[in-house]
């Protein structure tokens, strides 16, 4: 039946008119290959061949028009009339203002006419970027912040609240949300189009929920791949490079990146397909930050017994030593080991000296022994396109991304053989689309390196045994110096005792670390391999196979409504979370929930096109939350044909993420808990099950306190600061956004884009840390329960701030073209105006106040030569996250490339360097130390101009 329909469709176009012609470069007169020739108001069209010629058969009517478009050139539309032959010349775009975008209003318009700030990277910008990949080149766009966890895992953000897993920024690839359902954020370029298949990238900085839903809270990025109708033939790409050239972390290492793409249209340009495959491999950047997360534990000593290094793992397990004084089993062990069985003497020594010993952490292992630095990425994709009629095109597509990389989240995640699959079916015309797609994630051999280190430590000595031995050793060290209850040890005496506790005295005690497995040894590797194959909580691996199904559509009423442009759309998504209890609270249940949304937008030109008004309204709801309504209104005033002013107001929203609702993850030092209502009871119940371990009767009530208040109370011996924690179930976060801007084209060569925004947040989603007590604290003597700070009684919970939060910023961009040269400068200012919550709340603005980019280059400097140089700088700022808090130092980098085109073989050779001067830097606390990458690449395209 399908074949009959197809043949009938093709046959219906037998009686048509053949239109043909040649398209040339208006400056050089050279023919342009690959120019898109489309019939206006349809999905039908073709491309010019290697000689710039085209031919297509169409049903010609009185209003038939042809549109000629080519990246980097101004488009041209001509009436067919009674012509059947055309000689077309296209002129190069003078300034970025003439670029056409679709994301700002969900309709096609010039950058200059967009009602909000919009950035674009087209094919030419992809080719000319000096960065090692086009995705990393996005950091040079105005307003973009980057957080790098590894060489192929970078996260984009705009306008504050950056993170290594940005759940506030949506990334769409050919209309498909590229987020990993478990992580609930886009995973960088692991599943994006290859460099050969990317047509354009459009970025909207700032709140975009009114058009793109919940996760566009901080912005949206739309990546469009090449159509097989418009970009046909074979293309290939090979890049060879090197990093670690300073031998600081390891010896210099090669990197490789190869891609192939083939596309073909046939059956009179009614059918087309494409296949893409790419593979990259490199030695990853290494974590080299060994600073102490908890320097306050040092308590006047020359070193910190409670040291927990950023990139040393396994030292998360910590214990306030005074807790041992309340353990009858420890007192018995101490009495037998030191005091001839006298529990009275043992208790006296424990009460006298252990509270002053502070917090002690287990000895950790350097990250390099625990994570997989063999970074790989394999991507495969394909699509089949059928122009059912001149008005409708059907698409079936698949994208698959597979790889090994490192992600800095709640810990250091080694994502090995990670995979994400997306399959799509879509119908589209020039005024509508209807698409449905499925996303499936499989974490395969991935594991949390922190858990792996703790598992190795526990394999040779359980934490209860290790801390018990440490406590015994500490008292031995105290007693060996002649100290008795009633004495106050000096810092030097305490330090001696700590050394004995960890390393032994060489006589009758060999230390808590005696028998410790040496990093990199055969025993270490054996334990690591075994633990990588065991799921959390007994091992380090997580068992994830989550997914979601999404259906959406949009209709433009341009054929029915003439007085204004009206579009409407709707979407429906169902999540299916599967982690078997290793990430979510789904060990004995399934987690499924829905999310839906609908929107309408009206745009109207007034005053002969000098005033453009727009308004949209969106409604969204999720199974666990009530619906939210979000309006947007905008105005663009042309005060001169080359100068306009814009203003917009919109509200945005963000539903709590999958983890924000359902996470249940034991991180050893703390347990992460979802924020929805049902968890308010569950985190208390889980603590009740741990009460017997603390020697408290199960009948006593449990209470939760602010963790900082508990720490202060323990340090001072006072109970006054303790305030019971009352959980507020997490709710959607909201923002009100005002934006004002100016765009202007000066002297035809200079494009200026200025913009200011002001955001006000309510119900801001935060994570807060609390510590649980098995009883109400009524006396300083009971504060010992807070000495134990681990996942048995410490929680990090998603909730909302009760305080309002404001932030504002300014961005300025200048693009200048003179002759063959292009120069651009942009500057960004972002500032958080309010501080909210207590020290226990994780807010994470995580954005430099000032940053700037400067680029200079020429695509055609001389015959077949081109170049581009980019300098980037940002100032220091404070980074706050669940993994690490620290000031990120300021840094600047230089990227540069020189390209040479070999016309006879349709190949471009590019020599380049990212971070050319090899200045080592980090983008976020807990991130790896980044250095220079130097490369040479070869790109073959049989339609290259």
């Amino acid at each position: 039946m399908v074949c009959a329909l197809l043949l009938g469709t093709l046959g219906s176009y037998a009686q048509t008119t053949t239109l043909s012609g040649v398209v040339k470069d208006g400056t050089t007169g050279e023919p342009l290959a690959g120019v898109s020739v489309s019939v206006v108001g349809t999905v039908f069209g073709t491309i010019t061949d290697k000689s710039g010629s085209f031919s297509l058969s169409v049903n010609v009517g009185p209003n038939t028009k042809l549109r000629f478009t080519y990246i980097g050139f101004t488009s041209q539309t001509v009436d067919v009339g009674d012509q059947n032959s055309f000689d077309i010349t296209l002129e190069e775009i003078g300034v970025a203002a003439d670029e056409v975008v679709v994301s700002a209003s969900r309709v096609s318009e010039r950058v200059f006419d967009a009602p909000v700030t919009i950035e674009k990277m087209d094919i030419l910008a992809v080719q000319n970027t000096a960065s090692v990949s086009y995705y990393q080149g996005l950091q040079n766009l105005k307003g973009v912040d980057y957080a790098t966890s590894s060489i192929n895992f970078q996260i984009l953000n705009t306008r504050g609240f950056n993170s290594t897993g940005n759940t506030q920024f949506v990334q769409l690839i050919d209309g498909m949300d590229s987020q990993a359902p478990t992580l609930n954020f886009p995973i960088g370029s692991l599943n994006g189009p290859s460099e050969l298949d990317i047509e354009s990238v459009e970025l909207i900085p700032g709140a975009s929920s009114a058009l793109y839903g919940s996760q566009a809270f901080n912005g949206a990025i739309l990546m469009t791949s090449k159509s097989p109708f418009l970009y046909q033939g074979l293309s290939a790409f090979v890049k060879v490079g090197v990093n670690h050239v300073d031998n600081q972390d390891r010896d210099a290492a090669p990197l490789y990146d190869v891609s192939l793409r083939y596309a073909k249209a046939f059956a009179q340009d009614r059918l087309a397909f494409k296949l893409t495959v790419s593979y990259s491999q490199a030695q990853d950047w290494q974590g080299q930050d060994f600073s102490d997360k908890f320097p306050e534990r040092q308590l006047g000593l020359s070193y910190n017994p409670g040291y927990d290094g950023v990139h040393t793992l396994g030292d998360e397990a910590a214990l306030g030593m005074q807790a041992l004084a309340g353990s009858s089993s420890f007192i018995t062990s101490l009495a037998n080991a030191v005091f001839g069985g006298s529990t009275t003497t043992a208790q006296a020594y424990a009460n006298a000296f252990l509270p002053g010993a502070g917090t002690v952490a287990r000895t950790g292992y350097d990250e390099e022994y625990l994570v997989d630095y063999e970074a790989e990425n394999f991507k495969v994709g394909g699509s089949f396109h059928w122009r059912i009629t001149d008005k409708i095109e059907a698409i079936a597509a698949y994208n698959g991304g597979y790889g090994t990389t490192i992600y800095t989240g709640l810990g250091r995640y080694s994502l090995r053989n990670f995979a994400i699959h997306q399959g799509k079916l879509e119908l589209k015309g020039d005024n509508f689309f209807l698409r449905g797609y499925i996303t499936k994630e499989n974490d395969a051999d991935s594991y949390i390196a922190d858990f792996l280190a703790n598992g190795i430590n526990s394999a040779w000595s359980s934490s209860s045994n290790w801390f018990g031995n440490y406590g015994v050793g500490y008292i031995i060290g105290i007693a060996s110096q002649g100290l008795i209850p009633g004495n106050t040890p000096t810092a030097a005496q305490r330090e001696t005792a700590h050394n004995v506790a960890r390393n032994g005295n060489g006589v009758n005690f060999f230390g808590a670390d005696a028998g410790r497995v040496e990093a990199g040894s055969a025993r270490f590797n054996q334990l690591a391999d075994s633990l990588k194959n065991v799921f959390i909580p007994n091992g380090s691996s997580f068992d994830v196979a989550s997914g979601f199904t999404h259906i959406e559509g949009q209709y433009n009423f341009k054929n029915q409504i003439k007085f204004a442009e009206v579009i409407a759309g709707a979407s429906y998504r169902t999540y299916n979370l599967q982690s078997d209890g290793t990430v979510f609270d789904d060990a004995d249940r399934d987690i499924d929930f829905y999310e839906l949304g609908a929107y309408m937008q009206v745009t109207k030109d007034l005053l002969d096109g000098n005033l453009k008004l727009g308004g949209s309204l969106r409604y969204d709801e999720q199974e666990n939350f009530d619906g939210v309504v979000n309006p947007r209104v905008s105005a663009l005033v042309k005060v001169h044909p080359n100068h306009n002013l814009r203003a917009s107001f919109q509200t945005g929203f963000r539903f709590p993420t999958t983890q924000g609702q359902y996470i249940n993850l034991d991180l050893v030092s703390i347990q992460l808990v979802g924020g929805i209502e049902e968890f308010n009871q569950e985190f208390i119940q889980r603590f009740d099950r741990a009460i017997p371990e603390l020697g408290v009767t199960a009948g006593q009530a449990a209470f939760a306190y602010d963790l900082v208040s508990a720490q202060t109370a323990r340090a001072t011996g006072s109970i006054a600061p303790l305030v019971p924690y009352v959980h507020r179930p997490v709710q959607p976060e909201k923002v009100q956004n005002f934006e004002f801007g100016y765009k202007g084209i000066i002297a035809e060569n200079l494009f200026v884009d200025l913009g200011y925004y002001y955001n006000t947040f309510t119900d801001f989603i935060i994570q807060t840390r609390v510590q649980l007590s098995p009883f109400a604290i009524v006396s300083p003597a009971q504060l010992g329960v807070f000495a134990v700070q681990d996942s048995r009684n410490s929680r990090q919970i998603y909730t909302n701030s009760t305080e309002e939060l404001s932030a504002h910023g300014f961005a300025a961009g200048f693009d200048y073209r003179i002759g063959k040269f292009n120069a651009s400068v942009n500057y960004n200012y972002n500032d958080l105006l309010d501080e909210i919550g207590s020290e226990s709340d994780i807010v994470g603005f995580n954005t430099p106040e000032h940053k700037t980019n400067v680029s200079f280059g020429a695509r055609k400097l001389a015959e077949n030569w081109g170049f581009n140089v980019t300098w980037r700088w940002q100032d220091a700022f404070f980074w706050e996250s669940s993994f690490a808090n620290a000031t990120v130092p300021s840094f600047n980098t230089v990227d540069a490339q020189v390209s040479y085109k070999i016309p006879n073989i349709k190949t471009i050779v590019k020599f380049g360097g990212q971070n050319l001067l090899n200045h080592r830097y980090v983008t976020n606390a807990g991130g790896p130390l980044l250095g220079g990458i130097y490369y040479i690449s070869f790109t073959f395209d049989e339609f290259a101009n």
Side-chain angles (χ1 to χ4, degrees):
M1 181 177 179
V2 173
C3 292
L5 177 61
L6 174 58
L7 292 173
T9 300
L10 298 179
S12 68
Y13 287 92
Q15 304 302 317
T16 57
T17 300
T18 299
L19 306 179
S20 62
V22 176
V23 183
K24 296 179 181 180
D25 185 323
T27 302
T28 66
E30 296 178 352
L32 293 177
V35 175
S36 169
V37 184
S38 60
V39 182
V40 176
T42 75
V43 297
F44 189 61
T46 186
I47 60 171
T48 57
D49 61 19
K50 298 174 185 178
S51 63
S53 301
F54 71 92
S55 177
L56 73 165
S57 297
V58 298
N59 286 324
V60 175
N63 297 314
T64 302
K65 297 180 181 181
L66 294 181
R67 179 181 292 125
F68 299 84
T69 57
Y70 190 63
I71 296 296
F73 288 75
T74 56
S75 61
Q76 187 176 152
T77 301
V78 298
D79 291 313
V80 171
D82 57 0
Q83 303 178 74
N84 56 20
S85 180
F86 303 84
D87 289 318
I88 304 296
T89 57
L90 299 181
E91 303 294 334
E92 283 197 68
I93 289 176
V95 290
D98 292 322
E99 293 275 11
V100 176
V101 293
V102 297
S103 57
S105 306
R106 282 189 175 264
V107 294
S108 179
E109 60 191 349
R110 288 199 312 157
V111 167
F112 185 76
D113 298 325
V116 296
T117 299
I118 181 77
E119 299 291 312
K120 182 175 181 178
M121 174 183 276
D122 62 20
I123 290 176
L124 297 180
V126 169
Q127 293 174 350
N128 293 327
T129 181
S131 299
V132 73
S133 71
Y134 77 87
Y135 195 85
Q136 295 189 48
L138 293 173
Q139 62 191 312
N140 297 320
L141 296 180
K142 183 168 73 268
V144 173
D145 290 307
Y146 242 62
T148 298
S149 289
S150 58
I151 199 168
N152 56 9
F153 201 111
Q154 300 90 26
I155 296 298
L156 293 167
N157 187 60
T158 59
R159 298 187 177 178
F161 305 105
N162 197 14
S163 69
T164 53
N166 191 358
T167 58
Q168 306 180 72
F169 200 92
V170 70
Q171 179 174 299
L172 303 176
I173 301 174
D174 291 332
M176 295 186 290
D177 187 346
S178 66
Q179 67 161 288
T182 298
L183 299 174
N184 217 195
F185 58 80
I187 54 175
S189 61
L190 284 177
N191 65 329
S194 71
E195 189 158 325
L196 290 176
D197 197 39
I198 188 72
E199 181 184 59
S200 66
V201 181
E202 296 181 17
L203 180 139
I204 310 171
S208 306
S209 302
L211 288 183
Y212 292 99
S214 172
Q215 285 190 282
F217 193 73
N218 254 26
I221 186 167
L222 281 73
M223 307 175 76
T224 302
S225 68
K226 295 176 178 177
S227 164
F229 287 113
L230 304 182
Y231 300 89
Q232 297 183 36
L234 176 68
S235 52
F237 172 82
V238 176
K239 179 179 291 177
V240 179
V242 62
N243 64 345
H244 301 285
V245 294
D246 55 9
N247 300 314
Q248 182 170 332
D249 313 328
R250 50 153 297 138
D251 294 337
L255 59 88
Y256 310 97
D257 189 358
V258 296
S259 299
L260 287 172
R261 179 185 185 273
Y262 182 73
K264 179 67 175 176
F266 53 97
Q268 298 179 352
D269 283 334
R270 295 292 169 182
L271 302 176
F273 72 92
K274 70 175 177 180
L275 295 172
T276 63
V277 61
S278 64
Y279 174 78
S280 65
Q281 185 274 330
Q283 291 296 316
D284 218 326
W285 303 116
Q286 299 187 6
Q288 295 288 310
D289 184 356
F290 301 109
S291 60
D292 193 352
K293 293 181 182 179
F294 301 103
E296 67 273 10
R297 293 175 178 174
Q298 192 161 332
L299 301 178
L301 305 185
S302 63
Y303 73 96
N304 186 1
Y307 168 82
D308 181 358
V310 173
H311 290 134
T312 57
L313 309 177
D315 47 9
E316 299 81 20
L319 180 71
M321 296 304 288
Q322 72 185 74
L324 295 175
S327 168
S328 58
S329 60
F330 170 75
I331 296 300
T332 299
S333 297
L334 178 62
N336 292 333
V338 184
F339 299 111
S342 172
T343 56
T344 300
T345 305
Q347 188 70 64
Y349 269 80
N351 290 342
F353 298 109
L354 290 181
T359 299
V360 170
R362 294 204 65 170
T363 307
Y365 296 99
D366 288 354
E367 176 190 287
E368 64 180 290
Y369 297 102
L370 298 161
V371 301
D372 189 345
Y373 287 131
E374 297 285 341
E376 291 184 288
N377 185 203
F378 175 72
K379 292 186 284 192
V380 61
S383 61
F384 182 80
H385 300 239
W386 175 22
R387 288 169 170 168
I388 301 174
T389 70
D390 278 357
K391 301 286 187 180
I392 300 175
E393 180 179 340
I395 303 170
Y398 166 78
N399 290 325
Y402 315 81
T404 294
T405 189
I406 300 167
Y407 157 56
T408 307
L410 307 167
R412 288 285 273 173
Y413 290 48
S414 194
L415 303 180
R416 293 195 309 167
N417 302 320
F418 179 90
I420 186 164
H421 309 271
Q422 292 191 297
K424 178 182 75 169
L425 295 175
E426 181 174 9
L427 287 175
K428 70 174 185 178
D430 76 315
N431 64 333
F432 80 96
F433 70 79
L434 177 64
R435 72 172 65 101
Y437 61 92
I438 296 174
T439 298
K440 194 69 175 179
E441 169 192 357
N442 190 320
D443 289 339
D445 303 319
S446 301
Y447 61 91
I448 302 178
D450 311 60
F451 285 21
L452 182 61
N454 278 288
I456 294 171
N457 264 338
S458 297
W460 66 269
S461 180
S462 67
S463 286
S464 60
N465 181 65
W466 190 91
F467 285 116
N469 287 338
Y470 195 104
V472 169
Y474 187 83
I475 296 301
I476 289 175
I478 287 289
S480 66
Q481 299 178 82
L483 296 169
I484 61 174
N487 297 145
T488 301
T490 65
Q493 289 170 325
R494 287 187 288 117
E495 188 167 310
T496 296
H498 278 297
N499 282 328
V500 170
R502 195 176 299 267
N503 304 310
N505 58 12
V507 181
N508 60 346
F509 181 73
F510 297 100
D513 270 351
R516 182 172 179 266
V517 178
E518 183 179 351
S521 66
R523 173 63 174 156
F524 180 93
N525 293 332
Q526 180 185 29
L527 287 172
D529 290 341
S530 64
L531 289 166
K532 289 174 186 176
N533 295 317
V534 179
F535 293 131
I536 296 169
N538 299 314
S540 62
S541 178
F542 41 94
D543 184 18
V544 171
S546 299
F548 65 82
T549 301
H550 187 94
I551 300 172
E552 66 176 326
Q554 177 181 291
Y555 191 83
N556 188 323
F557 292 88
K558 64 182 182 179
N559 297 326
Q560 293 78 28
I561 301 175
K562 301 299 182 181
F563 70 89
E565 186 164 46
V566 181
I567 63 172
S571 63
Y572 181 80
R573 178 180 296 187
T574 58
Y575 282 93
N576 173 239
L577 305 182
Q578 298 180 26
S579 76
D580 289 334
T582 59
V583 176
F584 300 110
D585 188 44
D586 62 344
D588 52 7
R589 63 166 174 164
D590 294 329
I591 297 179
D592 298 282
F593 61 95
Y594 73 85
E595 185 174 299
L596 60 83
Y599 60 89
M600 176 173 283
Q601 175 180 273
V602 179
T603 305
K604 175 67 175 176
D605 285 336
L606 299 169
L607 303 178
D608 295 325
N610 291 316
L611 174 62
K612 182 178 181 180
L613 298 178
S616 64
L617 190 67
R618 184 182 180 100
Y619 173 83
D620 290 84
E621 70 174 50
Q622 202 183 77
E623 188 162 320
N624 293 325
F625 306 102
D626 295 333
V628 291
V629 176
N630 289 276
R632 181 177 90 163
V633 292
S634 64
L636 186 141
V637 181
K638 288 186 179 180
V639 296
H640 181 275
N642 288 336
H643 302 273
N644 66 41
L645 300 174
R646 67 183 185 274
S648 64
F649 167 78
Q650 66 177 312
T651 60
F653 74 99
R654 179 167 73 99
F655 287 125
T657 64
T658 54
Q659 294 192 16
Q661 296 180 55
Y662 293 105
I663 195 170
N664 174 28
L665 184 59
D666 186 336
L667 288 181
V668 182
S669 60
I670 200 165
Q671 182 156 348
L672 305 184
V673 178
I676 55 179
E677 175 65 32
E678 62 187 271
F679 276 52
N680 187 31
Q681 298 300 320
E682 287 196 31
F683 78 78
I684 297 292
Q685 294 167 3
R686 292 187 183 117
F687 180 68
D688 286 341
R689 292 197 290 272
I691 285 175
E693 298 178 29
L694 300 176
V696 180
T697 61
Q700 291 177 300
F703 291 83
Y705 294 92
D706 176 274
L707 186 55
V708 170
S709 295
Q711 291 170 332
T712 303
R714 187 181 74 245
T716 62
S718 166
I719 63 171
L722 288 173
V723 179
Y725 169 79
V726 178
H727 180 60
R728 295 181 68 225
V730 69
Q731 295 296 317
E733 179 180 334
K734 302 177 182 67
V735 64
Q736 287 188 336
N737 167 254
F738 293 90
E739 182 176 332
F740 307 94
Y742 159 80
K743 291 176 184 175
I745 301 173
I746 301 172
E748 298 185 355
N749 292 325
L750 175 63
F751 175 47
V752 179
D753 187 359
L754 309 177
Y756 171 82
Y757 74 90
Y758 187 93
N759 289 337
T760 303
F761 301 89
T762 55
D763 288 324
F764 188 82
I765 296 175
I766 59 174
Q767 295 179 64
T768 191
R769 293 174 176 175
V770 298
Q771 191 164 6
L772 305 181
S773 166
F775 42 72
I777 303 298
V778 295
S779 70
Q782 293 175 306
L783 290 172
V785 68
F786 289 115
V788 181
Q789 289 183 30
D790 58 26
S791 58
R792 291 176 296 173
N793 72 339
S794 297
R795 299 287 185 269
Q796 185 167 300
I797 307 166
Y798 284 85
T799 186
N800 302 87
S801 172
T802 58
E803 303 169 56
E804 195 172 85
L805 186 69
S806 297
H808 73 154
F810 173 79
F814 304 88
D815 293 284
Y816 184 64
R817 179 168 182 173
I818 179 170
K820 299 178 180 180
F821 297 97
N822 292 281
S824 66
V825 179
N826 63 64
Y827 165 77
N828 296 269
Y829 169 81
N830 296 280
D831 187 31
L832 182 65
L833 297 174
D834 304 291
E835 296 293 337
I836 63 173
S838 72
E839 294 178 50
S840 292
D841 299 333
I842 301 174
V843 177
F845 189 64
N846 298 344
T847 301
E849 192 168 341
H850 307 278
K851 60 179 181 287
T852 189
N853 297 312
V854 179
S855 294
F856 181 70
R859 187 165 64 91
K860 295 180 180 179
L861 175 63
E863 185 69 22
N864 301 324
W865 287 93
F867 79 98
N868 191 36
V869 180
T870 300
W871 175 74
R872 185 174 68 258
W873 171 86
Q874 66 179 45
D875 66 353
F877 67 100
F878 186 73
W879 182 279
E880 181 183 30
S881 69
S882 301
F883 181 67
N885 301 328
T887 295
V888 176
S890 66
F891 66 84
N892 69 91
T893 65
V894 176
D895 301 345
Q897 63 88 6
V898 175
S899 62
Y900 179 70
K901 182 170 68 174
I902 309 175
N904 292 340
I905 58 174
K906 300 291 185 180
T907 297
I908 297 175
V909 182
K910 185 162 75 171
F911 305 85
Q914 178 174 295
N915 189 7
L916 192 66
L917 303 179
N918 200 30
H919 290 160
R920 290 298 192 115
Y921 68 98
V922 297
T923 61
N924 49 279
L929 194 61
L930 307 177
I933 299 177
Y934 310 93
Y935 62 86
I936 178 173
S937 69
F938 303 85
T939 303
F940 166 81
D941 186 344
E942 64 178 281
F943 281 94
N945 283 296

